[in-house]
Amino acid sequence: MTEEKKIPYKIYLEESEMPRQWYNVRADMKDKPAPLLNPKTLQPMTFEELQPVFCDELVRQELDDTTAYFDIPQEILDFYKMYRPSPLVRAYCLEKELDTPAKIYYKFEGNNTSGSHKLNSAIAQAYYAKQQGLKGVTTETGAGQWGTALSMACAYLGLDCEVYMVKCSYEQKPFRREVMRTYGANVTPSPSEKTQVGRDILAKYPGTSGSLGCAISEAVEAASVKEGYRYVLGSVLNQVMLHQSIIGLETKAALDKYDIKPDIIIGCAGGGSNLGGLISPFVGEMLRGEADYQLIAVEPKSCPSLTRGKFAYDYCDTGMVCPLAKMYTLGSGFIPSSSHAGGLRYHGMSPTLSKLFDDKYMEARSVEQTSVFAAAQQFAKVEGILPAPESSHAIRVAIDEAMKCKETGEEKTIVFGLTGTGYFDMMSYAKFNDGIMSDYIPSDEDLAKGFASLPGIDL
Amino acid sequence: MTEEKKIPYKIYLEESEMPRQWYNVRADMKDKPAPLLNPKTLQPMTFEELQPVFCDELVRQELDDTTAYFDIPQEILDFYKMYRPSPLVRAYCLEKELDTPAKIYYKFEGNNTSGSHKLNSAIAQAYYAKQQGLKGVTTETGAGQWGTALSMACAYLGLDCEVYMVKCSYEQKPFRREVMRTYGANVTPSPSEKTQVGRDILAKYPGTSGSLGCAISEAVEAASVKEGYRYVLGSVLNQVMLHQSIIGLETKAALDKYDIKPDIIIGCAGGGSNLGGLISPFVGEMLRGEADYQLIAVEPKSCPSLTRGKFAYDYCDTGMVCPLAKMYTLGSGFIPSSSHAGGLRYHGMSPTLSKLFDDKYMEARSVEQTSVFAAAQQFAKVEGILPAPESSHAIRVAIDEAMKCKETGEEKTIVFGLTGTGYFDMMSYAKFNDGIMSDYIPSDEDLAKGFASLPGIDL
């Protein structure tokens, strides 16, 4: 068997083997994802309408669903070289621990200071803003990985960085806040008095601890009122999936180097940035009829947009200032429980991933957080890496699939995305260690409340 | 020039190029480091006397000053493959930022969950304990890197792990504590009521926040009273320097691969584990008369054992239960200020490094912590990695040396050890970010108090 060729614990690509182009999966989709809509006119957003929000090149990338490959600018390639290629790790120790005939690999994106894959798109978005001569960018952050990544990218390029951080994270995750500040970012707890939408939300819900949707609204408004600023977003968007395709392209190159063909590819899914990036080149092969894979999106049972959501046009943010996107969604009015995987609490899902899911290229599973932390701990003990709660959703299902192989005797090759480390999530681990972590599954009534906030547009 | 050969941002060795032996620098020293002494008899410690404290193979390694190379057991090699080889990074971005003709490289040991190089020796010490059929090990930890590393190694091997954590760190660094607990370790704040020495110290100094020397005493006592347990230590000892030689051996292999000859090698020095490991093969060449390098140990001005200490026999711990070591020391009674580099607060220094320093193979510098954090921030912004305060001592001097090159125009090749990440030190960074970090330099009177605690033995 080809897999029996001596495979190292970690497959590193040489610098010369690193991808020099991003791959745009939409180019190979016969049925394209539905366009973003102007929330006022309900017409597809035009280049000119998006221009005040995003910098020009990013608008082009956002709207382009025909160009398959985009050259990665040299300055971004150089930045990538500081922390990429990330290793594709053969989980020999986990396989042994599980006593499974399955072969398990994970693409580890956590070995950079942002602690996750978010840096791949942060540097790209900051670069194009810099190229356009802008002064700075604004963004929101929930768990803090994206804000950290953007702070790092902006520090590197000498760009201003304003981060609206969901208030409960700002208070509960002072470490993340300080990493951003160390990189020179201006961090504001959201909702804040700095924006109209923030003031409105504070008036309506005094004492609220904030939400990602609300922080997005504030960051978009802040960019629109400041000369020389644009808004940037770490997930959901097509441009993000494009930049994150570096994950999948490297994974595929590393697998190809050893003639390995995966059977199952697994990723956690919040807004879809990691999963979309990981599966891009593989789903591209499926779309072109060249290969077939089992692709699995894993989401928390507490925020089940793919497994229990609706495929419909919805607002991307609470303040309803952003374009509408057709996606799997729980409704922008859905209030997720205080799960420990802050990065998976978004009410919607990447429109492109949503379309691929709807077209049956991908399946989805939802898992409970205590089982996720149990998988995280099991993984950490044998593989060394302490994973982020978000990433551990993928570990849970990878272990589940490997255990199925143990039952059936199948030697499947499983690849999963290990998006990041859990170093800033230790208080969540403490709850797990102390046996006081609880699970929350929204009732049908809870979901109905979220669905009631859908705008009811069907084109 | 040979350096002009195309050098990637990160030099990774192939798995097949990884060192398979540790190097014992003492074998090449004509003047050997002075032996450990039994604190009661003042005679050199014998194998039999050390046997109740350390497991047998580690005692052999500790006492062996003639064998140059020790085979690394396969199981340890396999564990190393999970996080090693660590990259040797060419700091292109830092060079550009400094506009220096110097070529700067750093060996980055932070890409594992323990966050530092400590794992290199932790797995070795845990392995030999396991081989001997022991149930578990005890240790102390200050900043927490060593305790985390040992917890990871023990979890991997299925060994009990009892950690005495300096009380102020236990309280101020709950994240570290929880990482250890996630890996199944039993973590006790020190001083504790669990040991006689702990009870004595609490009686004498009620309300004390603990010290590393005190935690060592507790861990040693705990190991001696429990059947099937031994004590392990993350620094100072010869065995640790042996295991940590993997850092230097990999560094040398990576440099050799590209025909790079360093001029200056820099490491931070607390107990000497990282610095000793990094310089081992290089100082070996110096000892054998094959090459010459400028080796620089960097320590905090607040705990200046090499730059202001005495070369004398001293106690390794506060409770005076450990053997005496001849080393550069401030006296076991020296109370270091609450520096943010907890890993560099030890009163003494590796006896082997002390001897090499005394024999002029190495020089030493001391630096103030605000200047260290300034270097850390400058480095983080351009190189991406947020360094540990300890590691940043080496960055400070590397930048200083690179700036000297800028003045003189010399194209020196500088290599420094980047021992770990600062993710668990963000509250220290917060002080720096808020401009409220202070420096502390002990007065001659402060030092005199420490020196007064020296036992006054000169053999």
Side-chain angles (χ1 to χ4, degrees):
Chain A
M1 284 174 296
T2 49
E3 284 99 331
E4 294 313 315
K5 192 164 147 183
K6 172 72 181 149
I7 293 163
Y9 277 64
K10 286 170 291 163
I11 307 177
Y12 277 109
L13 299 176
E14 299 287 324
E15 226 168 66
S16 56
E17 297 170 315
M18 283 175 70
R20 304 184 65 85
Q21 294 182 310
W22 293 304
Y23 168 63
N24 179 15
V25 72
R26 288 171 294 159
D28 282 316
M29 291 170 75
K30 273 178 208 123
D31 292 333
K32 307 290 182 188
L36 296 173
L37 296 188
N38 184 317
K40 287 173 193 150
T41 66
L42 298 187
Q43 293 302 305
M45 290 293 284
T46 62
F47 183 88
E48 289 70 25
E49 286 171 332
L50 284 169
Q51 232 181 347
V53 184
F54 302 120
C55 67
D56 296 359
E57 179 56 28
L58 292 170
V59 175
R60 264 176 225 117
Q61 294 179 0
E62 190 63 32
L63 297 178
D64 188 336
D65 59 10
T66 55
T67 306
Y69 288 93
F70 286 77
D71 286 341
I72 306 174
Q74 187 60 45
E75 197 161 353
I76 299 178
L77 283 174
D78 286 343
F79 187 87
Y80 278 171
K81 285 178 199 161
M82 289 204 303
Y83 70 102
R84 307 200 68 82
S86 69
L88 181 73
V89 186
R90 172 74 183 266
Y92 282 117
C93 299
L94 182 63
E95 290 171 17
K96 194 175 158 199
E97 160 83 3
L98 301 176
D99 190 24
T100 173
K103 304 194 187 320
I104 310 174
Y105 295 83
Y106 54 92
K107 179 69 169 169
F108 180 41
E109 292 286 320
N111 271 351
N112 70 73
T113 292
S114 82
S116 81
H117 65 292
K118 294 287 183 182
L119 201 50
N120 302 330
S121 185
I123 186 61
Q125 296 191 46
Y127 169 80
Y128 291 117
K130 179 84 179 174
Q131 282 299 100
Q132 198 173 316
L134 298 174
K135 286 184 207 156
V137 291
T138 69
T139 199
E140 76 295 328
T141 199
Q145 283 94 334
W146 168 247
T148 309
L150 190 68
S151 304
M152 290 174 66
C154 287
Y156 180 80
L157 296 169
L159 210 58
D160 260 16
C161 182
E162 284 197 11
V163 181
Y164 288 83
M165 186 172 190
V166 178
K167 192 182 273 174
C168 65
S169 294
Y170 183 91
E171 286 161 1
Q172 289 169 11
K173 300 203 166 184
F175 280 32
R176 282 273 185 212
R177 185 186 72 210
E178 292 304 328
V179 177
M180 290 185 260
R181 289 185 67 215
T182 300
Y183 281 96
N186 189 330
V187 189
T188 303
S190 165
S192 77
E193 296 284 349
K194 284 170 85 173
T195 65
Q196 187 58 49
V197 65
R199 290 188 290 271
D200 289 350
I201 291 168
L202 282 171
K204 199 167 167 190
Y205 307 101
T208 175
S209 62
S211 73
L212 204 54
C214 163
I216 294 176
S217 301
E218 286 208 85
V220 171
E221 181 186 321
S224 71
V225 297
K226 285 184 88 162
E227 182 68 28
Y229 281 73
R230 289 294 185 284
Y231 169 70
V232 295
L233 179 66
S235 194
V236 183
L237 297 172
N238 293 319
Q239 57 187 267
V240 175
M241 189 160 162
L242 175 70
H243 307 148
Q244 294 294 357
S245 70
I246 191 82
I247 304 173
L249 292 164
E250 278 187 12
T251 301
K252 185 146 172 40
L255 291 169
D256 286 350
K257 201 167 167 175
Y258 287 87
D259 296 322
I260 304 159
K261 188 186 170 302
D263 298 297
I264 308 175
I265 302 171
I266 302 165
C268 64
S273 67
N274 145 68
L275 179 68
L278 175 64
I279 67 171
S280 275
F282 301 98
V283 87
E285 290 184 289
M286 292 169 77
L287 289 162
R288 296 188 303 268
E290 298 165 3
D292 201 23
Y293 306 99
Q294 185 183 4
L295 309 178
I296 309 176
V298 190
E299 57 186 16
K301 273 206 191 298
S302 59
C303 195
S305 54
L306 286 172
T307 50
R308 296 176 72 194
K310 295 196 171 169
F311 191 38
Y313 265 106
D314 194 11
Y315 301 104
C316 293
D317 62 327
T318 312
M320 305 174 185
V321 298
C322 293
L324 292 158
K326 186 169 182 187
M327 56 185 177
Y328 274 85
T329 177
L330 299 163
S332 65
F334 176 76
I335 298 161
S337 72
S338 59
S339 136
H340 293 288
L344 304 183
R345 289 180 74 210
Y346 188 63
H347 66 275
M349 180 59 63
S350 145
T352 301
L353 277 188
S354 292
K355 176 70 177 151
L356 289 168
F357 177 64
D358 204 57
D359 289 346
K360 310 275 187 283
Y361 286 99
M362 185 174 84
E363 58 190 272
R365 308 244 177 104
S366 66
V367 290
E368 290 177 305
Q369 70 176 354
T370 49
S371 78
V372 165
F373 275 82
Q377 187 178 40
Q378 186 176 22
F379 178 83
K381 283 188 176 176
V382 294
E383 288 289 325
I385 299 165
L386 188 87
E390 291 84 355
S391 326
S392 304
H393 285 68
I395 299 176
R396 173 72 274 158
V397 171
I399 291 176
D400 292 346
E401 290 297 317
M403 293 312 285
K404 279 187 208 164
C405 288
K406 186 175 178 178
E407 277 176 36
T408 62
E410 287 175 287
E411 293 188 24
K412 287 190 181 172
T413 295
I414 300 168
V415 174
F416 71 89
L418 188 68
T419 55
T421 52
Y423 306 146
F424 295 106
D425 300 284
M426 291 321 299
M427 291 303 98
S428 303
Y429 273 95
K431 282 209 168 133
F432 178 76
N433 293 336
D434 291 332
I436 55 171
M437 179 173 282
S438 58
D439 289 313
Y440 170 78
I441 303 175
S443 67
D444 288 341
E445 291 70 37
D446 294 330
L447 293 189
K449 279 180 210 163
F451 294 143
S453 69
L454 287 171
I457 297 157
D458 201 8
L459 298 188
Chain B
M1 285 174 294
T2 50
E3 286 99 329
E4 294 313 315
K5 194 163 146 183
K6 171 72 183 151
I7 293 163
Y9 277 63
K10 287 171 290 164
I11 307 176
Y12 276 110
L13 299 175
E14 299 288 322
E15 225 168 65
S16 56
E17 297 170 315
M18 282 174 69
R20 303 183 66 85
Q21 294 182 310
W22 293 303
Y23 168 64
N24 179 15
V25 73
R26 286 170 295 158
D28 282 316
M29 290 170 76
K30 274 177 206 124
D31 291 333
K32 307 290 182 189
L36 296 173
L37 296 189
N38 183 317
K40 286 173 191 149
T41 65
L42 299 187
Q43 293 302 305
M45 290 292 285
T46 63
F47 183 87
E48 290 70 24
E49 286 171 332
L50 284 168
Q51 233 181 347
V53 185
F54 302 120
C55 66
D56 297 359
E57 179 56 29
L58 291 172
V59 175
R60 265 176 226 116
Q61 294 180 0
E62 190 63 33
L63 296 177
D64 188 336
D65 58 11
T66 55
T67 306
Y69 288 93
F70 286 78
D71 285 341
I72 305 174
Q74 187 60 45
E75 197 161 352
I76 298 177
L77 283 175
D78 286 344
F79 187 88
Y80 278 171
K81 285 179 201 161
M82 289 203 304
Y83 71 101
R84 307 200 67 81
S86 70
L88 180 73
V89 185
R90 173 74 183 267
Y92 282 118
C93 299
L94 182 63
E95 291 171 16
K96 193 176 156 198
E97 160 84 3
L98 300 177
D99 189 23
T100 173
K103 305 193 187 319
I104 309 175
Y105 295 84
Y106 53 93
K107 179 70 168 169
F108 180 43
E109 292 286 320
N111 271 351
N112 69 75
T113 292
S114 82
S116 81
H117 65 292
K118 294 286 183 183
L119 201 51
N120 302 330
S121 185
I123 184 61
Q125 296 190 45
Y127 170 81
Y128 291 118
K130 180 83 178 176
Q131 281 301 100
Q132 198 173 317
L134 298 174
K135 286 183 205 156
V137 290
T138 70
T139 200
E140 76 296 327
T141 199
Q145 283 94 332
W146 169 247
T148 309
L150 190 68
S151 303
M152 290 174 65
C154 287
Y156 180 81
L157 295 168
L159 210 58
D160 260 16
C161 182
E162 284 197 12
V163 180
Y164 288 84
M165 186 172 188
V166 178
K167 192 181 274 174
C168 65
S169 294
Y170 183 90
E171 287 161 1
Q172 288 170 10
K173 300 203 166 184
F175 279 33
R176 282 273 183 210
R177 184 185 75 210
E178 292 303 329
V179 177
M180 290 185 258
R181 289 184 68 215
T182 301
Y183 281 96
N186 189 331
V187 188
T188 303
S190 166
S192 78
E193 296 284 348
K194 285 170 85 173
T195 66
Q196 188 57 50
V197 66
R199 290 188 291 273
D200 289 350
I201 290 168
L202 282 172
K204 200 167 167 191
Y205 308 100
T208 175
S209 62
S211 73
L212 203 55
C214 162
I216 294 175
S217 303
E218 285 208 86
V220 171
E221 181 187 321
S224 71
V225 298
K226 285 186 89 162
E227 183 67 29
Y229 280 74
R230 289 294 185 284
Y231 168 69
V232 295
L233 179 66
S235 193
V236 183
L237 296 172
N238 293 319
Q239 57 188 269
V240 175
M241 189 159 162
L242 175 70
H243 307 147
Q244 294 294 358
S245 69
I246 191 81
I247 304 173
L249 292 164
E250 279 187 11
T251 301
K252 185 145 173 43
L255 290 170
D256 286 350
K257 202 168 165 174
Y258 287 87
D259 297 323
I260 304 159
K261 188 184 172 299
D263 299 296
I264 308 176
I265 302 171
I266 302 165
C268 64
S273 66
N274 144 69
L275 178 69
L278 175 65
I279 67 171
S280 274
F282 300 99
V283 86
E285 289 184 290
M286 292 168 77
L287 288 161
R288 297 188 303 269
E290 297 165 5
D292 200 24
Y293 305 99
Q294 185 182 6
L295 309 178
I296 308 176
V298 189
E299 57 186 16
K301 274 207 192 295
S302 59
C303 195
S305 54
L306 286 173
T307 49
R308 294 176 72 193
K310 295 196 171 170
F311 190 40
Y313 266 107
D314 194 11
Y315 301 103
C316 293
D317 61 327
T318 312
M320 304 175 185
V321 298
C322 293
L324 293 159
K326 186 169 181 186
M327 56 186 177
Y328 273 84
T329 178
L330 299 164
S332 65
F334 175 76
I335 298 160
S337 71
S338 60
S339 135
H340 293 287
L344 304 183
R345 287 180 75 209
Y346 188 62
H347 66 276
M349 179 59 63
S350 147
T352 302
L353 277 189
S354 292
K355 177 69 178 151
L356 289 169
F357 177 64
D358 204 57
D359 289 346
K360 311 274 188 280
Y361 286 99
M362 185 174 84
E363 57 190 272
R365 308 244 176 106
S366 67
V367 289
E368 291 178 306
Q369 70 177 353
T370 47
S371 77
V372 165
F373 275 81
Q377 188 179 38
Q378 185 176 24
F379 178 83
K381 283 188 176 177
V382 294
E383 288 288 324
I385 299 166
L386 188 87
E390 291 84 355
S391 325
S392 305
H393 285 68
I395 299 176
R396 172 74 274 159
V397 171
I399 290 177
D400 291 346
E401 290 297 318
M403 293 311 284
K404 278 187 207 164
C405 289
K406 187 175 176 176
E407 277 176 39
T408 61
E410 288 174 287
E411 291 188 26
K412 287 189 181 173
T413 295
I414 300 168
V415 174
F416 71 90
L418 189 69
T419 55
T421 51
Y423 306 146
F424 295 105
D425 300 285
M426 290 322 299
M427 291 303 99
S428 303
Y429 273 95
K431 281 210 170 130
F432 178 74
N433 294 335
D434 291 333
I436 55 172
M437 178 173 283
S438 58
D439 289 313
Y440 170 78
I441 303 175
S443 66
D444 288 341
E445 290 70 37
D446 294 331
L447 292 188
K449 281 181 208 162
F451 293 143
S453 69
L454 287 171
I457 297 156
D458 201 8
L459 297 187

